[in-house]
Amino acid sequence: MTTVVQDWDPFSAAPDGDQASVQDAMRRTCPVAYSNALGWSLFRHRDVMRALAKPAVFSNAVSAHLSVPNGMDPPQHTDYRRVIESYFSADRMAAIEPRCRLIAQEVVASLPDNGEVDVMNSFADEFALRSQCAFLNWPVDLHRPLRDWVRKNHAATRSRNRDAMAAVAFEFDQHIRAVLDDRRKGGLNADDVASELLRERVNGRGLTDEEIVSILRNWTVGELATMSACIGILIAFLANHSDVQARLRADTSLLPRAIDEILRIDSPYLTSRRVTKCPVRIGKRAIDAGQRITIMWASANRDETTFEDPQDFRLDRDPALNLLYGAGIHVCPGAPLARLELRVLMEELLASIEIAPSAHNHPIRAVYPTGGFSACPVHVHRLGSP
């Protein structure tokens, strides 16, 4: 194996947590870069698209732990993906929208009529948790342990303590296994997602508990953190772009495109992994088989060669180029739910709240590898109030 000199250190390169500017600089100066922490990082849109389009070369089987279906390659991935996609059908999204809207109305109503609020600590996390539990059709008594677990997970992630992260992951797995045991004892006719998964069949057999835990981990661990990050990014952007805020309030039909565009500019999801199954050349770099590849989503979505004036908010861009939810066979299956939740929340928020930057506090960026903000203070004013 060829010895490679480190091109950058992703954990120390970002002043004030500004990942975007660091990735922009890397894309322009060293678009295929090696680091001890991430292996080979791909910063350009075209290189990322190549990796996404060739799973036979860039494998998703990168984790020592079972990951269904994200950490699988075809044909195994195809069988599980077929099961997963049915949970995000148009009919299911239509059925969940009224519940999602009610949750949005309640969290918007909890905002002060006129004052400052950190939207991450209550508003964003609360909506993410409650809307995801509504999708899973879990009762209210499951909200509290999941909320406590999410807070522990955030703290472990911020500390970068692998032992703490492993302990939190084990706690979550045990919690889900207890849910599955409870569903078995009560019969499998319940209509929550855990019970449905217990009835699923793959290749003529039922899913194992380990497989179901993996699926539900993706739908909670990943989705809760990403949804919360998305909400913070959207609110911070609207607070600092009053013209866009007014435009979207006047015409909410623009929201789907606008949300995707804002989250292209400021990505909630920074990286994902692949591993090379054979030697490959990317740009001027020769990469051996078995090498870790890190896809830099935020950089690819700000690539000047793909997006003209990439930092500008524009609604005329080609949506097929936006990698917010990925591309190829591993495109995010939960994208329909995420888009529904964000659209409904923004509709309800803009209908009754004006958002402005905080006069006293600045947003604080989340710690890598998490995108968005750990704190996002803004000033809110309820329309029609003094």
Side-chain angles (χ1 to χ4, degrees), residues 119-188:
V119 294
M120 299 308 303
N121 288 337
S122 55
F123 184 85
D125 287 349
E126 183 71 10
F127 177 79
L129 175 65
R130 292 181 60 188
S131 59
Q132 196 65 12
C133 283
F135 164 69
L136 296 169
N137 205 18
W138 282 357
V140 174
D141 61 2
L142 285 176
H143 290 196
R144 183 180 296 279
L146 189 55
R147 180 184 286 108
D148 292 343
W149 182 87
V150 168
R151 289 171 179 165
K152 292 178 185 177
N153 190 52
H154 285 173
T157 301
R158 285 194 298 270
S159 71
R160 294 178 185 161
N161 184 319
R162 291 187 177 274
D163 290 339
M165 293 170 70
V168 171
F170 178 78
E171 180 183 333
F172 174 84
D173 289 1
Q174 296 303 108
H175 176 68
I176 296 299
R177 289 179 188 276
V179 171
L180 297 179
D181 289 343
D182 180 71
R183 296 303 181 269
R184 288 193 182 96
K185 292 175 184 176
L188 300 183

Side-chain angles (χ1 to χ4, degrees), residues 244-263:
V244 176
Q245 185 180 160
R247 183 181 178 188
L248 297 178
R249 182 176 290 110
D251 185 0
T252 56
S253 70
L254 299 175
L255 273 170
R257 280 185 292 160
I259 290 169
D260 280 10
E261 172 66 356
I262 294 168
L263 298 177

